[in-house]
């Protein structure tokens, strides 16, 4: 039957009166359920979480992308997406949207309908057609088309079918894979089914690489294609958090390799295990003793997963690479957020082009990752400091006469007042926003991290007094600090709040609640820069973590303008080095130029020898591609928006007094991205109300405190004109204003508080009677507000 035979004018007119929801309920859903297993149809399935936008000093989440219908072949294989529109649109109106969702989820068939006909697009053949409502393909028909059209018309192999039919792991505590995680899992399973030996997944920090690896391992083991898996990492924290979190459901078949304990056991003792976690260092040995050969035969493992493979295993001559070469018969999967491509390191050359890439930019665009603002801070010595003739450090040693810059501070010379000023800026920011906001301060080295810890502890002595772990140094050599790492990473633990570090937290550590990242080390590597930014990208909406701030003291965020920030991953044209040249860099990759050992002797200059001042602060926001959107302070942003609404002070005052509920003005500015309470805390003006704050920020008027305004009302004896009981009510309202603010004073719920009921012996109706009725009560409240804002500015 053709679509046209159904398109009678009466039907179009009747359908045209229906909403999209009505069209779905009356026309599309019945057709789909008659053609498809209803248990394999989802409606309004959320694909993304909705991008989080930073507006002013608040965050606002956009609506998520949702598919009207997703039709599944099985619970892990989506086959078609159907987008619905009301009949006032054509039946193909939703096709672009359906195709977008299909491309995101790697779904082969897209459909659009307005309840009159369907438009179909087949990604496997590139063909598009119109079909009648009743001719929608059945589940079996669409499955058969997919099975024959996929892989360029060659269809699926038996191994691909077996893996595709293997479900994901699910339980009441495990969430279903997000679309990009499912894409990564399926791409890996297909590659293994096709016999590809080396594979690479590139997934931004915070997007669930370990969870993705778990689902890959689970489905492979359950399918029987893989029996033994080795999961490699270079840090205990990466191994332990993987075992304790994402791989927890496989605890009975999981083993953490310990060479000292395992050497005497032999392979036979491992038979009960299927998933092995190991540190490279354990398998290599201190002097490259090849412990892996003592523990396992070369063909023992079927699959090797390399976590953070941009690190040692990316180097051709790395001691770590020999582990992969020893187990070269196994499938090898490298996973990283930042593949390294230099003249001497190449992930792509070893693992191949990524099977799937999900970037930081995509994660922020989809709302799965948090956006950020940058506070760029400049000191009076940022461009350089030169000692005076014959100047000596605190130990009496002569300081070399030259110009010292950001590349030298804390690497080759310690300017103590600079450390103090940085610590003070961090403290001021936390006091103005949230004293309990999880913060990482990236320092030049361990010595700098210790000095920063001391400075921050002294400036936050009230918090340290409450809990000694408010500020902790967490570095490689600090045994106590490393013992606190798991608490710092925990969402449920409150302390430590501030961690000073050098490199330990720069990669891999799952810092879910990090809200402030302080960059006080030189970073020249794009890989390291992306890893550090990734420490803040996790979203924890329930806990109030929607965005984060980067505080930059060394102009590191200039790297956002580098093409490599959002550029394609390409093998360095100079890789590998020409024959005869060393495959190593000219020196180790360094955090800072000429970085000394952590406790090398450096000149130390106290505040008398060099006084440091903060001379400029710029707040910037960037788009997902690292492009600068704007650089301005939130105060400038607020002033611009206030003046945009109220051209003059008189205009603002008139509007404020005319507003029956002043909270309407606050809500209006909140919609523009301005949180006045946050701003007042930052400006140390928490004791003024929004009226005075706006007058101060936008019109340069000296603000009065709420107490001063309340006292002015009492001095004018305005309240004495009312009865004794009415005076009590007005005085309670006035005290409410003085202690809390105008919005709380306006809230009628105040009259139902136990204190008010006890004092007045009644509810709102009783209160109204003291003013001879509702009109008199409202008039008194209006006069009280007018009195508050008489002689309002200075």
């Amino acid at each position: 039957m053709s679509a046209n035979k159904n398109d009678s004018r009466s039907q179009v007119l009747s359908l045209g009166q229906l909403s999209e929801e009505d069209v779905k309920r009356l026309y599309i859903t019945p057709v789909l359920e008659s053609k498809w297993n209803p248990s394999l149809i989802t409606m309004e399935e959320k694909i993304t979480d909705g991008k989080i936008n930073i507006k002013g000093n608040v965050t606002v989440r956009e609506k998520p992308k949702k598919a009207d219908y997703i039709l599944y072949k099985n619970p892990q294989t989506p086959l078609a997406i159907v987008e619905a529109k009301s009949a006032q649109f054509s039946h193909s109106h939703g096709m672009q949207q359906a195709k977008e969702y299909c491309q995101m989820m790697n779904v082969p068939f897209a459909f659009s309908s307005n309840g009159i006909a369907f438009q179909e697009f087949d990604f496997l053949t590139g063909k598009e057609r119109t079909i009648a409502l009743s001719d929608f393909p059945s589940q079996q028909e669409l499955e058969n088309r997919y099975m024959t059209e996929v892989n360029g018309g060659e269809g699926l192999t038996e191994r691909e079918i077996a893996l595709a039919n293997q479900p994901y792991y699910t339980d009441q505590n495990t969430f279903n894979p997000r679309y990009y995680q499912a894409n990564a899992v399926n791409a890996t399973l297909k590659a293994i089914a096709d016999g590809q030996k080396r594979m690479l997944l590139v997934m931004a920090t915070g997007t669930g690489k370990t969870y993705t690896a778990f689902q890959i391992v689970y489905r492979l083991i359950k399918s029987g294609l893989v029996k033994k898996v080795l999961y490699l990492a270079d840090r205990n924290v990466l191994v332990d958090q993987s075992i304790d979190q994402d791989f927890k459901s496989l605890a009975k078949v999981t083993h953490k390799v310990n060479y000292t304990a395992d050497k005497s056991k032999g392979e036979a003792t491992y038979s009960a295990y299927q998933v092995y976690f190991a540190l490279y260092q354990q398998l290599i040995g201190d002097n490259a003793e090849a412990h892996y050969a003592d523990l396992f035969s070369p063909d023992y493992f079927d699959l090797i997963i390399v976590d953070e493979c941009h690190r040692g295993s990316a180097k051709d001559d790395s001691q770590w690479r020999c582990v992969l070469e020893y187990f070269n018969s196994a499938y090898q999967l490298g996973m990283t957020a930042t593949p390294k491509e230099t003249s001497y390191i190449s992930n792509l050359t070893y693992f191949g082009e990524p099977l799937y890439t999900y970037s930081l930019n995509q994660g922020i665009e989809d709302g799965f990752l948090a956006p950020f603002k940058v506070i760029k801070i400049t000191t009076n010595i940022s461009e350089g400091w030169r000692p005076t003739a014959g100047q000596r450090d605190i130990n009496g040693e002569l300081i070399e006469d030259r110009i010292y810059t950001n590349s030298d501070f804390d690497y080759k010379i310690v300017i103590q007042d600079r450390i103090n000023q940085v610590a003070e800026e961090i403290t001021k920011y936390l006091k103005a926003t949230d004293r309990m906001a999880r913060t990482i301060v990236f320092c030049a080295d361990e010595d700098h991290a210790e000095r920063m810890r001391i400075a921050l502890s002294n400036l936050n002595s009230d918090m340290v007094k409450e809990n000694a772990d408010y500020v902790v140094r967490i570095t490689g050599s600090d045994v106590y600090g490393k013992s606190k790492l798991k608490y710092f990473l925990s969402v449920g633990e409150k302390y430590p709040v501030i961690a000073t570090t050098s490199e330990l937290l720069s990669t891999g550590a799952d810092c879910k609640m990090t809200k402030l990242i302080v960059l006080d080390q030189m970073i020249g590597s794009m890989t390291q820069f992306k890893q550090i930014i990734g420490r803040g990208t996790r979203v924890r909406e329930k806990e109030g973590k929607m965005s984060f701030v980067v505080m930059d003291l060394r102009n590191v965020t200039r790297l956002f303008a580098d093409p490599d920030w959002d550029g394609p991953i390409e093998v360095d044209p100079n890789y590998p080095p020409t024959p005869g040249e060393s495959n190593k860099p000219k020196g180790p990759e360094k955090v800072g130029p000429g970085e000394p050992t952590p406790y090398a002797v450096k000149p130390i200059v106290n505040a008398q020898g060099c006084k440091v001042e903060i001379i400029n602060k710029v707040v910037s926001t960037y788009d997902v591609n690292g492009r600068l959107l704007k650089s301005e302070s939130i105060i400038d942003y607020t002033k611009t928006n206030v003046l945009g609404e109220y051209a003059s002070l008189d205009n603002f005052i008139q509007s404020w007094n005319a507003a029956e509920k002043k909270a309407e003005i606050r809500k209006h500015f909140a919609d523009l991205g301005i949180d006045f309470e946050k701003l007042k805390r930052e400006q140390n003006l928490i004791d003024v109300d929004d009226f005075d704050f706006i007058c101060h920020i936008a019109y340069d008027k000296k603000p009065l405190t709420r107490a001063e305004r309340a006292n002015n009302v009492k001095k004018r004896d305005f309240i004495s004109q009312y009865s004794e009981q009415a005076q009590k009510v007005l005085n309670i309202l006035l005290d409410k204003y003085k202690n809390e603010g105008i919005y709380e004073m306006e809230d009628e719920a105040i009259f139902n508080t136990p204190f008010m009921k006890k004092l007045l012996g009644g509810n709102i109706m009783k209160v109204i009677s003291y003013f001879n009725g509702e009109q008199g009560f409202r008039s008194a409240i209006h006069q009280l507000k007018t009195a508050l804002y008489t002689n309002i500015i200075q």
Side-chain angles (χ1 to χ4, degrees):
M1 182 184 295
S2 69
N4 291 334
K5 292 183 180 179
N6 288 327
D7 293 351
S8 68
R9 181 166 179 79
S10 61
Q11 182 187 20
V12 172
L13 288 173
S14 62
L15 275 170
Q17 309 304 313
L18 301 178
S19 67
E20 180 180 309
E21 291 304 311
D22 290 331
V23 167
K24 288 193 287 188
R25 177 174 55 86
L26 296 173
Y27 294 93
I28 300 177
T29 300
V31 169
L32 297 182
E33 290 184 344
S34 71
K35 302 279 189 169
W36 212 271
N37 181 348
S39 68
L40 293 175
I41 301 175
T42 64
M43 296 181 64
E44 294 295 314
E45 182 175 338
K46 192 165 71 169
I47 301 174
T48 71
D49 276 0
K51 182 181 178 182
I52 302 168
N53 292 311
I54 300 176
K55 296 177 62 178
N57 62 344
V58 300
T59 53
V60 181
R61 191 185 276 282
E62 296 177 0
K63 291 182 179 179
K65 292 180 179 178
K66 293 181 179 180
D68 288 333
Y69 302 87
I70 301 181
L71 312 181
Y72 285 84
K73 180 179 182 293
N74 53 46
Q76 59 277 359
T77 310
L79 206 57
I81 287 178
V82 182
E83 280 302 305
K85 299 295 176 185
S86 66
Q88 63 180 304
F89 299 107
S90 70
H91 62 275
S92 63
H93 188 78
M95 179 52 72
Q96 291 299 112
Q97 188 175 350
K99 288 168 72 173
E100 177 192 358
Y101 295 166
C102 283
Q103 288 173 309
M104 291 174 67
M105 297 181 65
N106 197 24
V107 174
F109 301 105
F111 292 90
S112 170
S113 179
N114 60 356
I116 301 172
F118 282 103
Q119 188 77 2
E120 176 196 273
F121 181 79
D122 185 336
F123 278 90
L124 300 175
T125 64
K127 294 181 179 179
E128 187 166 340
R129 62 174 181 152
T130 298
I131 55 176
L133 210 62
S134 59
D135 289 342
F136 189 86
S138 68
Q139 181 172 348
Q140 190 62 54
E141 179 186 347
L142 212 56
E143 286 183 12
N144 290 342
R145 284 172 55 187
Y146 170 71
M147 296 291 284
T148 56
E149 293 175 3
V150 73
N151 289 340
E154 295 183 3
L156 295 175
T157 65
E158 291 185 9
R159 280 159 59 102
E160 286 178 323
I161 293 172
L163 288 174
N165 289 334
Q166 181 60 48
Y168 292 106
Y169 175 84
T170 56
D171 65 22
Q172 60 183 1
N173 298 317
T174 304
F175 59 84
N176 290 327
R178 294 169 174 166
Y179 82 87
Y180 63 86
Q181 293 167 337
N183 289 346
V185 172
N186 291 331
T188 305
L189 297 186
K190 184 181 188 310
I192 290 176
D194 292 344
Q196 186 172 333
K197 282 295 186 179
R198 295 178 184 176
M199 299 156 288
L200 179 65
L201 289 177
V202 178
M203 298 174 65
T205 300
T207 57
K209 290 191 297 293
T210 311
Y211 170 80
T212 302
F214 161 72
Q215 290 290 6
I216 290 169
V217 169
Y218 178 81
R219 289 178 67 181
L220 284 170
I221 287 177
K222 290 301 179 181
S223 72
L225 187 59
V226 164
K227 301 187 185 316
K228 301 286 185 181
V229 178
L230 175 63
Y231 191 105
L232 284 173
D234 70 324
R235 295 184 181 183
N236 257 314
V237 63
L238 302 181
V239 168
D240 293 342
Q241 72 187 15
S242 299
I243 293 173
D244 295 340
Q245 297 175 21
D246 292 303
F247 280 81
K248 186 177 181 179
S249 58
L250 291 176
K252 292 182 179 179
V253 295
T254 295
H255 177 69
K256 184 178 179 181
V257 175
N258 183 322
Y259 176 74
T260 303
D262 292 352
K263 184 179 179 182
S264 61
K265 296 178 181 179
E267 286 185 5
T269 61
Y270 294 136
S271 59
Y273 305 117
Q274 293 177 293
V275 185
Y276 301 75
F277 286 83
L279 293 173
Y280 281 108
Q281 296 89 326
Q282 280 277 338
L283 296 185
I284 296 291
D286 293 336
N287 298 305
E289 294 102 338
H291 287 174
Y292 49 84
D294 294 339
L295 296 174
F296 305 103
S297 59
D299 59 353
Y300 188 78
F301 295 106
D302 305 305
L303 172 66
I304 312 285
I305 295 179
V306 186
D307 193 13
E308 305 292 352
C309 69
H310 64 279
R311 295 175 67 81
S313 61
K315 300 178 183 178
D316 286 1
D317 62 350
S318 166
Q319 290 182 343
W320 298 355
R321 176 67 70 81
C322 63
V323 178
L324 301 184
E325 292 170 347
Y326 179 76
F327 296 115
N328 63 7
S329 64
Y331 297 106
Q332 296 181 3
L333 173 64
M335 303 191 76
T336 180
T338 52
K340 274 190 179 177
E341 297 301 322
T342 71
S343 60
Y344 67 98
I345 295 176
S346 178
N347 285 116
L348 300 189
T349 300
Y350 184 81
F351 290 105
E353 291 291 329
L355 299 175
Y356 184 73
T357 297
Y358 189 72
S359 68
L360 172 67
N361 306 337
Q362 290 172 292
I364 294 175
E365 191 68 40
D366 288 341
F368 296 126
L369 296 181
F372 54 90
K373 287 194 298 188
V374 173
I375 303 174
K376 199 170 182 178
I377 296 175
T378 305
T379 71
N380 60 321
I381 64 170
S382 291
E383 298 301 319
W385 173 78
R386 184 180 180 183
T388 58
Q391 185 171 349
R392 297 179 181 272
D393 71 0
I394 64 170
N395 297 312
E397 297 293 328
L398 188 67
I399 302 171
E400 180 186 353
D401 182 20
R402 67 180 183 84
I403 296 176
Y404 295 88
T405 67
N406 273 335
S407 298
D408 299 303
F409 301 141
D410 304 299
Y411 292 101
K412 295 183 177 180
I413 189 169
V414 174
I415 307 293
Q416 185 58 49
D417 199 42
R418 184 187 179 282
I419 295 173
N420 295 339
Q421 292 302 316
V422 172
E424 188 168 332
E425 279 302 311
I426 296 168
T427 302
K428 283 167 60 178
Y429 175 82
L430 293 175
K431 284 183 176 180
T433 55
D434 178 6
R435 298 289 298 276
M436 298 302 291
R438 206 65 57 88
T439 300
I440 306 176
V441 186
F442 288 98
C443 301
D445 58 24
E446 295 197 6
D447 175 48
H448 182 207
E450 177 64 4
R451 293 176 185 276
M452 186 63 71
R453 181 195 67 78
I454 294 170
L456 284 166
S457 294
N458 287 333
L459 288 167
N460 293 275
S461 57
D462 58 331
M463 305 299 284
V464 175
K465 181 180 178 181
E466 185 176 328
N467 190 298
D469 286 338
Y470 181 76
V471 186
V472 174
R473 182 181 75 155
I474 303 178
T475 59
S477 69
D478 193 319
V479 175
Y480 181 81
K482 285 195 293 186
S483 74
K484 296 298 177 180
L485 177 57
K486 65 179 179 181
Y487 302 104
F488 183 74
L489 300 180
S490 171
V491 174
E493 297 289 339
K494 293 176 65 177
Y495 299 97
V497 174
I498 304 174
T500 65
T501 189
S502 53
E503 293 188 70
L504 187 61
L505 294 175
S506 66
T507 183
D510 191 6
C511 311
K512 296 183 177 69
M513 286 301 294
T514 303
K515 293 184 178 180
L516 175 63
I517 293 173
V518 181
L519 301 177
D520 199 19
Q521 65 174 216
M522 297 302 292
I523 300 171
S525 161
M526 181 61 73
T527 297
Q528 187 181 16
F529 179 58
K530 286 185 176 181
Q531 286 284 340
I532 287 176
I533 294 298
R535 298 312 101 202
T537 55
R538 273 80 170 176
V539 174
R540 300 289 298 191
E541 197 157 356
K542 290 182 180 179
E543 292 82 12
K545 163 75 186 300
M546 296 281 283
S547 62
F548 66 104
V549 168
V550 178
M551 186 179 288
D552 182 10
L553 282 302
R554 309 243 185 183
N555 194 27
V556 174
T557 51
R558 71 187 186 282
L559 292 174
F560 284 127
D562 192 305
D564 285 345
W565 170 255
D566 189 39
I569 305 167
E570 297 176 348
V571 176
D572 190 295
N574 296 315
Y575 179 89
T578 56
E581 289 188 9
S582 170
N583 204 32
K584 295 181 179 180
K586 301 305 179 185
E589 184 173 9
K590 298 170 182 174
V591 176
E595 180 180 354
T597 56
Y599 294 99
V601 177
K602 315 171 198 172
I604 301 174
V605 181
N606 59 20
Q608 289 71 41
C610 178
K611 181 66 177 174
V612 178
E613 298 177 357
I614 304 298
I615 60 173
N616 192 32
K617 284 191 288 188
V618 177
V619 180
S620 302
T621 54
Y622 295 81
D623 68 10
V624 295
N625 298 310
R627 290 188 293 264
L628 181 66
L629 294 179
K630 60 178 180 292
S631 291
E632 62 179 344
S633 71
I634 185 60
I635 296 300
D636 290 338
Y637 177 83
T638 302
K639 181 175 182 178
T640 299
N641 278 275
V642 170
L643 294 177
E645 295 293 323
Y646 312 106
S648 67
L649 176 61
D650 289 341
N651 184 227
F652 168 66
I653 294 172
Q654 183 179 3
S655 298
W656 178 271
N657 287 331
E660 184 176 350
K661 293 286 187 181
K662 314 304 183 192
E664 296 171 1
I665 293 177
R666 168 180 275 197
K667 182 181 182 305
H668 175 72
F669 282 106
D671 291 340
L672 295 174
I674 299 171
D675 185 328
F676 285 125
E677 287 306 305
K678 283 186 181 180
L679 280 174
K680 286 188 284 188
R681 286 196 298 271
E682 291 174 10
Q683 299 295 310
N684 198 27
L685 290 172
I686 199 65
D687 57 350
V688 308
D689 71 8
D690 288 358
F691 175 87
D692 281 277
F693 187 72
I694 290 171
C695 290
H696 172 61
I697 293 299
Y699 306 104
D700 198 27
K701 299 299 179 181
K702 181 180 177 180
L704 296 178
T705 66
R706 293 191 303 274
E708 288 173 330
R709 289 198 174 281
N711 289 335
N712 285 341
V713 171
K714 291 180 179 180
K715 288 176 183 178
R716 286 193 291 273
D717 205 26
F718 156 74
I719 294 177
S720 62
Q721 62 182 296
Y722 294 95
S723 69
E724 181 180 354
Q725 289 291 70
Q727 287 183 39
K728 288 183 179 180
V729 172
L730 294 176
N731 275 309
I732 288 173
L733 291 173
L734 200 57
D735 286 340
K736 190 73 171 177
Y737 168 82
K738 181 174 72 174
N739 295 326
E740 298 183 45
I742 187 67
Y743 310 119
E744 290 75 14
M745 189 190 93
E746 289 181 328
D747 188 352
E748 292 183 1
I750 186 177
F751 298 109
N752 292 317
T753 61
F755 176 75
M756 180 69 89
K757 288 181 177 179
K758 182 180 179 180
L759 181 65
L760 302 175
N763 55 25
I764 184 67
M765 297 310 297
K766 185 74 172 177
V767 170
I768 287 174
S769 70
Y770 302 147
F771 295 88
N772 299 318
E774 183 175 352
Q775 184 174 352
F777 173 66
R778 292 189 179 280
S779 175
I781 297 299
H782 177 75
Q783 290 182 55
L784 177 60
K785 291 180 185 178
T786 301
L788 274 171
Y789 298 106
T790 299
N791 298 324
I792 45 182
I793 53 175
Q794 299 181 23

